[in-house]
Amino acid sequence: MSRPSQRPLLPDDFIPVSSPASPSVHSPLFSGDGRRIAYLQRHGGPDTLALYVFDRDSGQTTLRLPADALPPLPMTLAEELARERARQRFDGITHARWLPGTPRLWCALGQRLVLVADEAATAPVLHTHPQYIEAALATALPGGHAITYSAGGDLWRVPVTDGGRTFGSVQRLTDDGSATLLNGIPDAMTREEVFNGAAFITVREGRQLAWARFDTSAVERIDVGNGAQTRIEPTRYARPGGAVAVFSIELLDLGHEAPAAPRTLLAADLAWPYYRGLADWGAGTLLLTRLSRDQTRLQLLQLDLASGLATELLTLTQTPWINAIAPPLRRADGSFFLIHENGGIGRIGLYDAQGGWQCDIGDLGDAVGHIDGLVGLDGDGGGLYFGATGADARQHHVFRAGPADGWHCRQLTQATGVHGATLAPDGRHWLHSFESMTEAPSLVLESVPVPVPPTTPEATQPRAAEHRFAADPAPAWLGSVRPPVLHELLSADGRTTLHAAVYEPDAELPGLRPVVLLVYGGPHLQAVRQSWAMTVDMRTQYLVQRGFFVIKVDNRGAAGRGIVFEQPVYGRLGHAEVDDQAAALAQLLPRLPRADRSRIAACGWSYGGYMTLRCLQQRPELFKAGVAGAPVVNWEDYDAPYTERYMGTPQPLPTFAQANAEGYAASSVLRGDGEVQGPLLLIHGMNDENVLLRHSTALMEDLARRRVPYELLLLPGERHGVRSATQRPYLELRIAEFLQRVLGREGPA
């Protein structure tokens, strides 16, 4: 990627919804024979993707389906919500797959299935449904002669004929779908917080269909408005201590012209309401992965399709909660790999076909760090490729382990940064992704490196790249930004290493400079990594160019270092996190002689918005102002699967050992120790169905009662993520203007 001129970031640079940290190549996928690679890449605009294919035999790349090849359809509410839950920031061709048994591709886009023609000049073939087709869930039968999909709460199947060139007549497979009964479509909270697999699956060469049927009828109904009083969205919102969605597993025989009535393989269970996924486990069985209501148990159940019997294969138990990191990976002999955190960080358990533990991978003194993903099996099926942090939790690398060397782990990637891999069908080639704070994401097709004995200076044998995928053009402002400086600090308890990043303003600016703590602080996110996103974080760099120091800190509770690093926050959110942020600033500021310790503000969104309020509430002597976007104010009003995982339940339930009413009160912005004070800019999307607007209105009522002045920015029509080309630049202008005004001595215009 060439480095452009040094023009600064401008407000209109925020108009594109997609991030400049996004990779150039999205969703790469090998064909069944491994000779072609389909992928998505920007085309026709910064937020628009098109479908490309690279042919390994000819070395040629072709544009197979641009977005403008399809006539536009208005976006349905179901699609809008699905895109928001999936954090999908792109338009155009966002999902594509190879049609099994054929050399052709198919897509699910909005209300349409698309068969991609052999030649780009030939029009694609469309199947249109009256309702939104859940693109991420649609699946083709192994022979490629039909596609099953979920839409409108029901399951459908459409034949594919003429070798993948035509659609037949659609068949409705279920007919009881409704607003509260969803066949093969996880409800919103399951999708957001728990789901990681398939919601339906075809077995026995397509003759049977099994699926999860989600029931939200007992869940509290609320209405979400868009702020303009032009639309009301009824939704089911499960709150801590209340009813949550439950699921059953259904089975349908399709071997007859008229499908038989479905039968229930597994009834709904209030003690096990959280659905992870289904998998074909061979020999006429399915594997169901589920979580208990209190999220301390992860269970693998084998479901026998003939007898309907459910047999426990494995149950993992962990307190205070269990992280379900990745689906199990089955080997040919029925044994399987599963990531667990029994020792506090991610390790891979190898289990036999009956669920008996054989060994743990990663505990032999190798510098593996936290294991967080299974890449796949090697070409012979005996060894395993996986992803882990390595010795530095700010990085990510690909490793291999195999039985031949006693499951010792060999690190296959070396350069400082974030590495990933997608294995080819032969298990001997991969698509190797890489990025760092100084290198934009890249993708290379190459042979999988071969580990050599650990006594050899080089950890892997050198290999040549077969193909380097083209990169997107660099943003015009890239030359004006610099990567941060990384620091290591100690947590508030004095025992745990914390990672921080400092962005310094121009050295020629006069005087002491104000400081912004850009904070998230909650689970599921790691803010400090050796990644390109650190350098091209637009809000951060925009503030830096306005004369601010910007600091990021991963407090205890953040992701990337295993449950041992996360669990100090359990039961009392907003305590250890704030303590660590304050301790980090106390250690960092003496290292920054140009930083003004009397002018520090906190700024964050979502959990970061909550953290901003907690900083103002608990550390008013340190934080002089705050910008809180879409903050959680009372945890009783956030979603149950997320909140109960980290807080337990606020009231007695038979599925929990005890209630935690005191913890909920202590973690509340309104009821915890201290009161929010100091200049505050409160921001909320009025159509936010994730963190409901009621959180901010409750805070507004509290501030008014106490006569505390604050500033308010409501975003009409916006959800948890801001997408409007009007609101996005205005949002950044308001944040920067507020911080410059309340912290004094303005920076550059």
Side-chain angles (χ1 to χ4, degrees):
M1 180 181 286
S2 59
R3 203 160 183 84
S5 62
Q6 294 191 355
R7 81 143 171 93
L9 269 161
L10 302 173
D12 282 356
D13 291 323
F14 289 88
I15 290 176
V17 181
S18 60
S19 168
S22 297
S24 296
V25 176
H26 300 255
S27 307
L29 189 64
F30 283 95
S31 59
D33 61 4
R35 301 310 304 167
R36 288 170 299 155
I37 301 163
Y39 62 95
L40 308 175
Q41 191 161 15
R42 288 180 173 95
H43 179 269
D47 291 337
T48 304
L49 297 177
L51 174 61
Y52 292 82
V53 172
F54 170 69
D55 188 297
R56 297 176 65 185
D57 295 323
S58 67
Q60 298 298 309
T61 298
T62 57
L63 172 62
R64 295 296 298 275
L65 188 64
D68 58 12
L70 301 175
L73 287 177
M75 187 179 297
T76 64
L77 175 60
E79 181 179 2
E80 184 181 327
L81 291 169
R83 288 172 56 84
E84 182 69 15
R85 287 194 295 270
R87 311 297 192 265
Q88 176 57 262
R89 300 293 184 253
F90 287 96
D91 297 312
I93 315 302
T94 55
H95 295 81
R97 301 177 185 87
W98 293 101
L99 189 65
T102 79
R104 294 179 178 82
L105 288 154
W106 67 281
C107 311
L109 304 169
Q111 297 165 245
R112 296 174 292 200
L113 297 179
V114 182
L115 295 175
V116 182
D118 294 336
E119 302 296 334
T122 304
V125 177
L126 306 180
H127 163 73
T128 303
H129 193 276
Q131 295 168 298
Y132 170 64
I133 296 172
E134 296 280 343
L137 303 178
T139 182
L141 294 186
H145 56 271
I147 295 173
T148 307
Y149 62 88
S150 52
D154 280 311
L155 287 162
W156 309 75
R157 176 173 290 180
V158 59
V160 179
T161 59
D162 194 19
R165 294 180 177 86
T166 357
F167 285 115
S169 298
V170 68
Q171 179 185 21
R172 186 171 188 166
L173 303 179
T174 64
D175 60 6
D176 60 348
S178 68
T180 59
L181 289 176
L182 306 172
N183 290 292
I185 308 172
D187 64 284
M189 287 191 182
T190 297
R191 190 81 169 266
E192 174 82 12
E193 307 294 359
V194 182
F195 177 65
N196 184 19
F200 57 86
I201 187 169
T202 54
V203 291
R204 293 180 173 170
E205 299 179 342
R207 296 192 302 274
Q208 288 184 313
L209 175 71
W211 72 93
R213 184 174 183 263
F214 297 88
D215 184 350
T216 63
S217 59
V219 178
E220 177 187 359
R221 173 187 155 149
I222 63 170
D223 292 327
V224 178
N226 65 355
Q229 297 181 314
T230 58
R231 186 171 73 183
I232 295 293
E233 300 169 11
T235 187
R236 299 285 171 159
Y237 200 94
R239 296 193 297 161
V244 300
V246 294
F247 72 90
S248 61
I249 302 299
E250 310 293 326
L251 183 68
L252 183 65
D253 291 318
L254 298 170
H256 313 284
E257 287 191 15
R263 57 189 172 98
T264 299
L265 276 181
L266 186 73
D269 187 341
L270 293 174
W272 295 89
Y274 295 137
Y275 175 89
R276 288 281 291 169
L278 274 177
D280 186 346
W281 213 242
T285 62
L286 300 176
L287 187 74
L288 167 67
T289 307
R290 63 181 184 174
L291 279 166
S292 60
R293 172 73 188 257
D294 65 0
Q295 296 184 67
T296 63
R297 291 170 294 163
L298 175 72
Q299 188 173 76
L300 308 184
L301 279 183
Q302 284 185 288
L303 305 178
D304 187 277
L305 296 173
S307 67
L309 291 177
T311 305
E312 178 185 336
L313 179 62
L314 177 69
T315 299
L316 298 181
T317 301
Q318 188 161 18
T319 56
W321 75 83
I322 190 166
N323 284 322
I325 296 175
L329 179 61
R330 186 178 185 271
R331 305 165 85 196
D333 63 359
S335 62
F336 60 95
F337 299 105
L338 182 66
I339 299 176
H340 64 77
E341 294 178 306
N342 292 342
I345 61 173
R347 289 292 178 258
I348 301 171
L350 172 59
Y351 302 86
D352 64 26
Q354 289 73 46
W357 177 82
Q358 302 298 295
C359 68
D360 276 349
I361 298 170
D363 273 342
L364 297 175
D366 307 315
V368 174
H370 174 60
I371 298 174
D372 61 4
L374 303 176
V375 175
L377 303 175
D378 67 15
D380 300 322
L384 172 71
Y385 297 98
F386 61 92
T389 61
D392 184 349
R394 294 165 294 192
Q395 300 189 45
H396 194 266
H397 291 276
V398 183
F399 292 76
R400 183 191 182 278
D405 57 358
W407 296 107
H408 274 283
C409 303
R410 308 289 184 232
Q411 184 173 320
L412 303 182
T413 54
Q414 304 301 322
T416 298
V418 175
H419 299 258
T422 301
L423 283 175
D426 64 8
R428 294 179 174 83
H429 296 82
W430 68 10
L431 294 168
H432 175 202
S433 63
F434 173 70
E435 62 180 286
S436 70
M437 292 198 303
T438 57
E439 295 186 51
S442 61
L443 188 70
V444 177
L445 171 63
E446 61 191 14
S447 299
V448 175
V450 178
V452 298
T455 54
T456 306
E458 296 81 13
T460 58
Q461 295 178 356
R463 71 276 189 193
E466 181 179 334
H467 179 70
R468 296 183 183 275
F469 290 79
D472 290 331
W477 46 264
L478 183 60
S480 68
V481 303
R482 300 185 304 274
V485 176
L486 302 185
H487 294 258
E488 291 191 355
L489 312 163
L490 281 177
S491 61
D493 66 3
R495 299 192 299 267
T496 307
T497 299
L498 303 180
H499 296 138
V502 176
Y503 300 77
E504 298 200 21
D506 193 324
E508 297 180 1
L509 291 174
L512 297 178
R513 308 309 307 168
V515 177
V516 175
L517 178 72
L518 202 62
V519 62
Y520 182 78
H524 301 306
L525 189 142
Q526 185 179 7
V528 181
R529 301 186 80 198
Q530 290 273 5
S531 68
W532 186 239
M534 297 289 293
T535 300
V536 295
D537 181 335
M538 295 176 67
R539 177 173 295 161
T540 293
Q541 297 291 5
Y542 190 66
L543 292 174
V544 169
Q545 292 179 4
R546 316 255 84 65
F548 295 94
F549 277 89
V550 176
I551 294 174
K552 299 179 182 179
V553 180
D554 277 328
N555 50 252
R556 287 170 296 163
R561 296 172 64 177
I563 197 169
V564 68
F565 187 74
E566 300 170 7
Q567 64 188 12
V569 306
Y570 182 78
R572 292 175 64 88
L573 295 177
H575 289 80
E577 305 98 297
V578 174
D579 291 344
D580 281 357
Q581 295 285 337
L585 287 175
Q587 297 166 72
L588 274 175
L589 292 174
R591 306 179 190 180
L592 308 173
R594 294 195 303 128
D596 191 337
R597 305 183 195 189
S598 68
R599 294 188 292 157
I600 302 174
C603 176
W605 198 272
S606 192
Y607 201 101
Y610 167 70
M611 281 288 291
T612 294
L613 297 176
R614 294 291 279 173
C615 286
L616 295 178
Q617 183 183 22
Q618 295 188 324
R619 293 288 197 279
E621 76 288 351
L622 179 60
F623 296 98
K624 304 307 180 186
V627 178
V632 173
V633 169
N634 282 316
W635 286 105
E636 291 96 333
D637 281 331
Y638 194 54
D639 81 53
Y642 180 98
T643 307
E644 291 177 354
R645 182 184 306 140
Y646 307 114
M647 289 286 292
T649 176
Q651 60 197 41
L653 283 179
T655 47
F656 287 80
Q658 60 186 19
N660 184 27
E662 184 277 332
Y664 273 83
S667 302
S668 168
V669 171
L670 302 184
R671 293 174 291 142
D673 293 338
E675 294 177 323
V676 173
Q677 52 189 293
L680 170 67
L681 174 59
L682 179 62
I683 309 170
H684 216 120
M686 298 180 75
N687 208 166
D688 193 336
E689 83 294 340
N690 184 341
V691 179
L692 302 173
L693 184 59
R694 67 172 63 166
H695 288 273
S696 284
T697 58
L699 177 61
M700 291 156 59
E701 181 69 21
D702 176 72
L703 295 171
R705 177 184 57 80
R706 296 189 289 112
R707 305 293 194 267
V708 176
Y710 66 96
E711 298 183 33
L712 178 66
L713 177 58
L714 294 177
L715 306 174
E718 297 295 342
R719 299 188 182 277
H720 201 56
V722 181
R723 295 173 180 263
S724 159
T726 301
Q727 298 288 359
R728 286 176 61 81
Y730 181 66
L731 172 65
E732 303 306 324
L733 282 168
R734 284 291 305 273
I735 291 173
E737 182 276 331
F738 172 81
L739 291 170
Q740 287 179 322
R741 173 162 43 84
V742 300
L743 294 182
R745 291 212 293 273
E746 296 201 4

